[in-house]
Amino acid sequence: MTNPSTQRYSTLRYWIQGVACVVALSLCCTLSADEPVEATITTSPEKHVVSWFLIGGSSATPEDRYVGWDLRQSGWGKFVFMRVRPGLEGGIRRVLLHNPFGHELPNNTMAFDGSLNADEQGHDWLVEGFVEAWKPVVEGRWSGGDPVEVICYLGRLDEAPGFEALKDASDEEGYQARAWASVALPLAAGMSIAVDSSADLPENHPGFRFIRDLRDSGVRVYVEARPDTNKPHLHNWPMISVESFWERSDPTRHADARGMERDAHSHGEVIQLFTERKLTPAIAQEKLAQGYSVAAQLNHEIWQANKLNRWLNPQ
């Protein structure tokens, strides 16, 4: 018998919309679920420069789930128009939306079910208007009709209280239902999904079964960060990693590193996220030449340069 607590979520209406949009998702995203990326780095470098927006963690206020950007007052529509649109008009075609529903766990730990937690705690301003604001971005309203991939970076599927209780109770059906409900809003907007710390998931973990099923449904799914050599079931997935961690976990550079060796011809895309040092055009060019994609807080730089290609190739 299904646990009654898993049968109804206040955002379930968006889950239904999300399932309906999965079929169209691979058509509207910049990259489909299994499209190789290396060949496009030289022909379409703009596909490998990602504009990063940190939402949960942008404020020190726990009452707002650590979300800044004046989102409580202005809402998602104004955020997209004022913060995201200028970069799109300047040539950005990929956006990394990091922890959009905030968090309440200690040590900035993000939970995968952040949208459900925010809704259940009465933070309507984080969930209402989300789809209406972001779906036009994906569909190309401010990018001249070009589709835009928006990667919704969510928290952990392990160590999240809402999932651990279901896992401990061996409630597979409840676990999977909560996981699908957690991605309802992003899927309804046509987004890809990234999962924090998912490179640690064992193959027999219900969290891995979920991301595998999500990918098999046609959604592009990213794991974070570099899987260890003993997790081959994750080696061919698209990956997002903080740049410094990716370098430190490289076994070809550090004898104590346990990360897999990367072969750009057989493994998925790797997006290196710049959180510690500034991403300059020269560094971006170097990373692209090595077969990586790059992500950073770029909107101001793109706005100043007027166009992405002018920023990437300064005179």
Side-chain angles (χ1 to χ4, degrees):
M1 179 178 296
T2 303
N3 185 337
S5 67
T6 68
Q7 293 180 334
R8 183 179 293 107
Y9 296 100
S10 57
T11 56
L12 191 57
R13 62 191 183 277
Y14 291 111
W15 180 29
I16 297 171
Q17 292 175 322
V19 172
C21 83
V22 165
V23 175
L25 185 59
S26 62
L27 298 177
C28 67
C29 283
T30 304
L31 295 170
S32 66
D34 56 0
E35 180 182 349
V37 297
E38 287 74 21
T40 65
I41 287 179
T42 54
T43 59
S44 303
E46 72 278 359
K47 288 189 176 182
H48 301 279
V49 178
V50 185
S51 182
W52 173 49
F53 291 93
L54 177 67
I55 306 300
S58 59
S59 164
T61 306
E63 293 79 12
D64 290 343
R65 293 181 58 83
Y66 300 98
V67 172
W69 296 100
D70 199 36
L71 262 175
R72 177 186 278 275
Q73 287 71 35
S74 61
W76 283 113
K78 187 174 181 180
F79 174 84
V80 166
F81 186 79
M82 298 298 295
R83 306 288 187 175
V84 182
R85 174 188 53 83
L88 301 175
E89 292 178 344
I92 288 291
R93 294 298 179 263
R94 299 179 78 186
V95 174
L96 177 58
L97 184 64
H98 199 126
N99 196 18
F101 307 109
H103 61 267
E104 75 279 352
L105 298 176
N107 302 320
N108 291 327
T109 300
M110 300 175 286
F112 189 80
D113 51 0
S115 63
L116 304 182
N117 295 332
D119 198 22
E120 291 162 359
Q121 294 166 10
H123 295 282
D124 298 344
W125 52 280
L126 280 173
V127 295
E128 291 182 353
F130 182 87
V131 175
E132 293 80 0
W134 283 101
K135 191 173 183 181
V137 172
V138 173
E139 293 175 343
R141 177 176 296 180
W142 291 291
S143 51
D146 292 340
V148 173
E149 183 189 22
V150 179
I151 306 167
C152 185
Y153 188 108
L154 300 176
R156 303 179 68 130
L157 276 160
D158 61 341
E159 299 185 11
F163 289 101
E164 285 298 286
L166 294 167
K167 179 176 178 290
D168 292 344
S170 299
D171 186 355
E172 178 76 13
E173 185 177 358
Y175 189 105
Q176 300 302 327
R178 189 168 182 87
W180 278 102
S182 299
V183 295
L185 292 172
L187 292 190
M191 296 179 177
S192 304
I193 302 295
V195 186
D196 189 56
S197 297
S198 47
D200 291 332
L201 290 174
E203 193 169 8
N204 63 353
H205 193 282
F208 175 74
R209 288 193 289 274
F210 168 72
I211 64 172
R212 179 195 61 201
D213 291 347
L214 183 62
R215 182 187 65 173
D216 290 348
S217 74
V219 178
R220 187 168 175 85
V221 181
Y222 297 79
V223 299
E224 189 272 339
R226 185 199 292 260
D228 287 350
T229 54
N230 64 354
K231 291 189 171 61
H233 58 287
L234 291 166
H235 287 186
N236 292 323
W237 290 60
M239 301 174 192
I240 297 176
S241 174
V242 170
E243 180 239 1
S244 58
F245 179 83
W246 184 266
E247 299 298 331
R248 181 61 184 85
S249 61
D250 185 350
T252 67
R253 302 178 64 176
H254 300 279
D256 60 343
R258 298 180 302 167
M260 70 168 203
E261 292 189 30
R262 177 178 182 257
D263 180 345
H265 299 290
S266 62
H267 295 140
E269 179 189 23
V270 175
I271 300 175
Q272 292 196 11
L273 174 60
F274 283 72
T275 63
E276 298 173 6
R277 64 169 175 155
K278 183 179 177 62
L279 178 64
T280 65
I283 294 174
Q285 290 280 20
E286 177 186 2
K287 292 295 183 180
L288 265 60
Q290 294 171 354
Y292 294 104
S293 298
V294 293
Q297 293 180 338
L298 289 172
N299 253 34
H300 184 67
E301 283 80 358
I302 302 306
W303 177 79
Q304 284 187 319
N306 195 31
K307 291 292 182 182
L308 172 60
N309 59 3
R310 292 181 186 172
W311 175 82
L312 197 56
N313 300 286
Q315 299 299 320

